[in-house]
Amino acid sequence: MSTPTVARVEALPFRLPLRGTLAWGAHSTLSAAEHVLVRVTLDDGTVGVAEATPRPTIYGETPDSVVAILRWLEPALVGLPITDEAGLNRVRNSVANNHTARGALDMALWDARARAQGLTLWDTLLGPNTRVRVSFILGIDTPAAMLAEAERVVEAGVRCLKVKVGRDHTRDLAVIRDLRNTFGDEVQLYADSNETLTPDLAPAALAAMREAGLTYVEEPLPVRELKSRAALHARGLLPIVADDSCFTPADLARELSFGTFDILNVKTARNGFTDGLAMLRAAAAHGKCGMVGSQASTGLGTLHAALLSTQVEVTEPCELSFVLKLGDDLLDQPITFRDGWLDVSSLRDHVVNPHKLERHLV
Ligand code: MG
C-alpha cells in the first residue's frame, strides 16, 4: 500500500460567541472567537483538522490572512507523502510569521498522519501526565465583573487564575487582594502584564505582586527591552513567564542565551506540535519550567493544547479552560474540569460536530 499524500488544504473561518469580552494588555480586546478551521485531506480520504486563532494585535493575522496564506502554501503541500515530515515542515517554514496559520497547519498534518495509520493524536502524542492542572485567563474588566467571572470558573472546577493586569497597577493590586480574600489559598493566582511595565517601575511592581501572593508574572516588560528584562530576571523578585518574547524557536534561543525567564509558555496555536515539542525540550534542557498556553482557543484548539500539556517538560498549570468563556463550541461534547484538573485522557472521543461547524461558519 502506498503512503497517502496531501490532496487538499482548506481554511474555513467560523465565529463563536463569547460570554463577555476578553480584554488584555494596553488596548487589546476579543469579543467573539473569529477563528479558522484548518482541514488537511489526504488522497486516501483521511482528514486532519486543527484550529487557527488569528490575533490581529499580537501576530498581525486575520481570518482572511489565514485563508490566504494556506491557499498560498497548498500547491507546494499537495502530493507530499504525509509521512514526509521534513518536506512538509520545509513548506510550512517557507513563509515567515503567520504563526497561527502555520501552527494550525502543523497540527492538522499531525492529525492526518495519525489517522492515516488508523490511530489518533491520543495514540501518538499523549504524554505521561494524563491529568493536567488548568488555569483560566481572567481578562481586564471592572473589579466586580472580574470577581464574578472568577467565582463562576472556580465553581466550574478551575483552581488557578492568570489575571490580566497592566492598565492601572493600583487597581490591579486591589482586584488581586479581592480574589485572594475570596478564594484564600484554594486558588493559585498569577499575573500577565503583557509588556505594560517600564524598567524603572518593574522592580517595585514585581515586589508588590509577590507581596500580594502572586506566584509568577508573565512578560512584565516590553519585549524590545532585552537588557532590562535580563536585569529584572537576575534580581529574582518573582518567577517570570516568557510568552510574547518567545513566539518562535529562534526567539526562544535568544531568550535562553540572555537569561530572561523562568517558565516558558508554549502555545500550540502559534507553534503547532512540531515546534511546540522542540521548544519545551529546549527550555527544559536549560533547566526552565514549562506551561502550555491556549491563545483563547475554542474546544478543538484546547484538545490540541491539552495534548501538548501532558508532556513531561510541562510543570505548571496550563491555559486549557477558555472554553468556559464560550457561548457555544464546535465540539460534540463539553470539556469539563474537576478540582483544578483536566483529565486529558478522557477527551479522546471529543470531535468537531459537523452540524455545529455548519451553523457557525462565516
Ligand atoms: Mg501572555
Side-chain angles (χ1 to χ4, degrees):
M1 201 176 76
S2 64
T3 304
T5 62
V6 176
R8 194 172 179 200
V9 177
E10 296 163 280
L12 310 170
F14 64 91
R15 183 180 193 282
L16 291 172
L18 296 190
R19 303 169 62 138
T21 295
L22 177 69
W24 75 94
H27 37 66
S28 291
T29 59
L30 185 73
S31 53
E34 293 177 294
H35 297 171
V36 183
L37 186 90
V38 175
R39 187 156 67 190
V40 170
T41 305
L42 307 184
D43 65 352
D44 67 350
T46 300
V47 174
V49 293
E51 177 184 8
T53 58
R55 291 284 170 269
T57 62
I58 306 175
Y59 308 121
E61 294 178 277
T62 66
D64 284 345
S65 81
V66 171
V67 171
I69 209 69
L70 292 175
R71 194 173 291 148
W72 167 271
L73 292 173
E74 184 184 27
L77 293 165
V78 168
L80 290 180
I82 191 60
T83 49
D84 180 9
E85 293 183 44
L88 293 164
N89 284 329
R90 213 162 20 246
V91 176
R92 181 171 58 85
N93 292 326
S94 67
V95 290
N97 303 319
N98 293 284
H99 299 299
T100 74
R102 293 162 58 229
L105 172 63
D106 181 65
M107 292 187 284
L109 289 167
W110 273 70
D111 189 26
R113 189 176 305 123
R115 289 177 193 283
Q117 300 171 283
L119 304 171
T120 72
L121 289 173
W122 267 258
D123 302 308
T124 61
L125 199 56
L126 187 68
N129 305 321
T130 59
R131 287 171 80 241
V132 177
R133 285 183 295 154
V134 303
S135 59
F136 181 83
I137 301 168
L138 195 61
I140 298 172
D141 203 332
T142 64
M146 290 175 76
L147 195 61
E149 181 161 52
E151 286 178 326
R152 182 174 70 81
V153 300
V154 169
E155 179 70 21
V158 171
R159 296 291 182 272
C160 177
L161 300 171
K162 159 162 143 174
V163 187
K164 290 289 195 180
V165 299
R167 295 185 186 179
D168 180 341
H169 183 60
T170 308
R171 207 208 57 142
D172 293 337
L173 288 174
V175 169
I176 286 156
R177 257 194 311 274
D178 283 351
L179 293 168
R180 177 60 67 218
N181 288 337
T182 303
F183 301 115
D185 293 335
E186 185 196 4
V187 173
Q188 179 185 346
L189 301 174
Y190 71 101
D192 186 355
S193 293
N194 284 110
E195 309 181 54
T196 49
L197 286 169
T198 59
D200 51 329
L201 295 176
L206 266 58
M209 289 177 181
R210 186 191 57 209
E211 263 329 278
L214 300 188
T215 49
Y216 18 81
V217 60
E218 192 164 302
E219 226 59 86
L221 292 174
V223 169
R224 65 178 178 277
E225 302 278 4
L226 187 49
K227 279 187 199 162
S228 296
R229 289 194 293 110
L232 183 64
H233 176 252
R235 295 183 63 162
L237 295 164
L238 192 62
I240 292 175
V241 182
D243 174 13
D244 317 36
S245 58
C246 285
F247 284 174
T248 67
D251 290 342
L252 173 60
R254 177 195 64 217
E255 298 299 314
L256 286 171
S257 78
F258 279 86
T260 56
F261 73 94
D262 301 282
I263 300 161
L264 175 66
N265 185 349
V266 169
K267 293 182 173 169
T268 37
R270 68 179 172 224
N271 296 121
F273 296 132
T274 304
D275 291 351
L277 283 166
M279 291 171 75
L280 280 175
R281 287 166 187 163
H286 284 76
K288 306 297 184 186
C289 297
M291 67 165 60
V292 175
S294 85
Q295 206 74 68
S297 295
T298 74
L300 177 60
T302 300
L303 296 183
H304 290 161
L307 277 166
L308 195 70
S309 305
T310 62
Q311 307 306 309
V312 70
E313 296 85 1
V314 177
T315 53
E316 308 306 310
C318 295
E319 302 167 9
L320 303 173
S321 65
F322 188 77
V323 288
L324 297 175
K325 185 100 181 159
L326 294 174
D328 197 0
D329 194 17
L330 301 184
L331 296 182
D332 59 344
Q333 304 174 61
I335 296 173
T336 56
F337 310 94
R338 193 160 170 192
D339 294 332
W341 295 83
L342 174 62
D343 179 1
V344 182
S345 62
S346 76
L347 306 175
R348 182 179 284 273
D349 297 324
H350 285 52
V351 291
V352 170
N353 178 314
H355 304 292
K356 287 183 154 198
L357 174 62
E358 191 67 34
R359 191 183 324 144
H360 293 292
L361 284 177
V362 174

